[in-house]
Every structure is written in C-alpha cells, then in structure tokens.
Amino acid sequence: MFTPLRGRSVIVTGSSKGIGRGIALRFGLAGCKLLIVSRKLEEAKAVAAEIVAAGGEARAFVADVTSQADMEAMALAAIDGFGTIDILCANAGIFPAAKLGAMTAADFDSVIGTNLKGTFLAVSACLPAMKAKKAGRIILTSSITGPVTGYPGWSHYGASKAGQLGFMRTAAIELAPFGITVNAVLPGNIATEGLAGLGEEYVRQMEASVPMRRLGSVTDIANAALFFASDEAAYITGQSLVIDGGQILPESLAALES
Ligand code: NAP
C-alpha cells in the first residue's frame, strides 16, 4: 500500500489536454492540489473544473514553457495558491514532423526550445521552493522516440526527448543532496489529441506495431508518474520507465507476427 499523496502541491505543464491532462486528473483523484498549465486559459480552466467537480483542488495558469518569466511566474502561482511545490511534471511538448532537407533551423529551434529548453526552464523555476524544503519530485515526459527508437520526420523531436534524459541524469546527481528526485516516463504511442492529429493511418500502423495491439491511454502514463511521485519511490532517481505495451521489444516483423 502506498502512502497517500493527499494535499501535495503539483504543477503539470501542458495539462490542458492529452497526457498532461491525464496526469493532472490522476493526481487530482489522489487528493493533490493541481496547477494546470498551458498557453490557453479556457482549456486549462476546463481541466481544473473537471478536477474540482470530482472533489479535488485545482487552478488554471497560462504560461509558455519557452519563457523563463512565465515559468518563474508559474512557480510563484503554485506557491501563492498551495503554499509550496511538491511535485513538478514537466510534460509540455510538441511533435511537428519535418524530414531532413525540409526541416528548417526555425523548426529545429522550436522543438528543442519547447521540449528541451522548456524542461530546463520549468525545472529551474521550481528548484528554489524544492531546495528550501529539501524535498521534491520531478517527473519528465520524454518518449521512446529519441532515447530508444527513431521515426522519419522526428530527428529534432528525438533529439529533444533524448536530450531530456541527458539533462535528467546530471540534474538527478546535483539535486539528490536536496532530497529531490528526477525521473522520466517514456511513453510509446498514447491516444491523445496530439497523436490523433497525426492521422488515422498513423494510428492504425502504430496499433499494429504494438504487441498489445492497442495504443496506450493517458492513465497508463499517469500511473507511472504517480509512482515516481510517491514516497515509496524516494530512492529512485535519474531513471526512465518505458510505458509502451511492448512496442520496442520485437526485433523484427516476424517476432511481432509469430
Ligand atoms: P498534446 O495532446 O498535443 O498536448 C500537449 C500539451 O502541451 C497541451 O496541453 C499544450 O497546451 C501544451 N503545450 C504545448 N506547447 C506548450 C508551450 N510552449 N507552453 C506550455 N504548454 C504547451 O500532446 P500529448 O500527446 O499529450 O504529449 C504530451 C507530452 O508527451 C509531450 O512532451 C510529448 O512529446 C510526450 N509524448 C507523447 C506521446 C503520445 O503518443 N501522445 C508519446 C511519447 C511522448 P497549449 O497548446 O494550450 O499550450
């Protein structure tokens, strides 16, 4: 039985939809206080309202993870609203596709700026509060794409997601003396608004390439984030957990089909 997380203060970046929304709803169910962060107020408010309607506590906050000032304001909003920051889920991310040759420097900067620099800015903003109380949990949403696999069109995305893990390993060493852990979830293909935007053919092919023959749910990822945030995971830091229905396991089509 895990120690209840009731009353913990949690920031989830990119929680207006998709995996971030799933993480926020799951922590809400666990009795945590949620700061729902995205660039769109109405969408963030709708998720906060869902959590409140289910008996939880949540506030919406508009911020862009590419802005240092926004991330610092986000951390202050959590402290003002909930007194502290116990848990940061650095989840906001984008995955536009562009193959090499067509990919522009601006495309590259945009993906790295949101997914990798955005992670750095969100973490940096929350550190003073976590260091002051010598406790904290940081959970990054990385991906199998980059750290483990590749996919045409996503060289910039893969670099950003692998970069998050490089960032995580040194951050975990630096922050361990402060009682702060840093871990990452590596989703496979998860049914979200963003993934649906890649088209039906992409979704169909992905379902066929997963041994469990289905996409993951946002709750599958949220449960792993909840584990990393738990008191029971206190001695786990700098680690990554693949949640992909076995997608990275088959070494060939024959292995998948037989
Ligand atoms: P999604 O459905 O498109 O949701 C993305 C979320 O991030 C939204 O809430 C969006 O809100 C927010 N966001 C994007 N850019 C932002 C910015 N600059 N500042 C603040 N918020 C921002 O995507 P998803 O599928 O849930 O993906 C979420 C995370 O999981 C990403 O890091 C992604 O790389 C990772 N991931 C997803 C999958 C998958 O299969 N879905 C697999 C592996 C990894 P606004 O647009 O309102 O700002």
Side-chain angles (χ1 to χ4, degrees), residues 13-21 37-41 43-44 63-66 71 90-95 114-115 141-145 157 160-161 164 185-195 202 218:
T13 66
S15 45
S16 62
K17 57 185 176 176
I19 290 172
R21 172 177 166 272
V37 181
S38 94
R39 293 166 299 180
K40 300 183 191 110
L41 181 61
E43 293 185 14
D64 187 326
V65 297
T66 65
M71 290 299 91
N91 166 82
I94 55 172
F95 35 92
T114 302
N115 298 358
T141 305
S142 175
S143 176
I144 58 169
T145 311
Y157 177 78
S160 74
K161 293 289 152 179
Q164 282 181 301
V185 290
L186 275 59
N189 280 270
I190 309 302
T192 66
E193 293 87 335
L195 193 92
Y202 175 89
V218 295

Side-chain angles (χ1 to χ4, degrees), residues 205-250:
Q205 281 181 3
M206 279 304 165
E207 282 169 347
S209 67
V210 176
M212 288 188 184
R213 306 292 186 206
R214 66 169 177 88
L215 299 187
S217 71
V218 295
T219 308
D220 290 325
I221 307 305
N223 286 332
L226 201 75
F227 168 67
F228 278 135
S230 69
D231 289 352
E232 285 69 17
Y235 203 57
I236 301 172
T237 194
Q239 301 305 307
S240 53
L241 183 60
V242 171
I243 306 127
D244 72 342
Q247 185 175 345
I248 62 170
L249 299 177

Side-chain angles (χ1 to χ4, degrees), residues 123-190:
V123 169
S124 297
C126 294
L127 283 185
M130 290 182 173
K131 279 182 170 176
K133 64 194 184 76
K134 286 207 157 239
R137 290 282 191 278
I138 298 170
I139 298 123
L140 313 181
T141 305
S142 175
S143 176
I144 58 169
T145 311
V148 190
T149 64
Y151 197 95
W154 280 333
S155 57
H156 50 0
Y157 177 78
S160 74
K161 293 289 152 179
Q164 282 181 301
L165 299 192
F167 169 83
M168 171 188 78
R169 293 189 183 102
T170 291
I173 296 171
E174 290 183 13
L175 300 176
F178 297 95
I180 301 168
T181 68
V182 194
N183 292 290
V185 290
L186 275 59
N189 280 270
I190 309 302

Side-chain angles (χ1 to χ4, degrees), residues 46-58:
V47 175
E50 268 186 89
I51 292 168
V52 171
E57 190 172 344

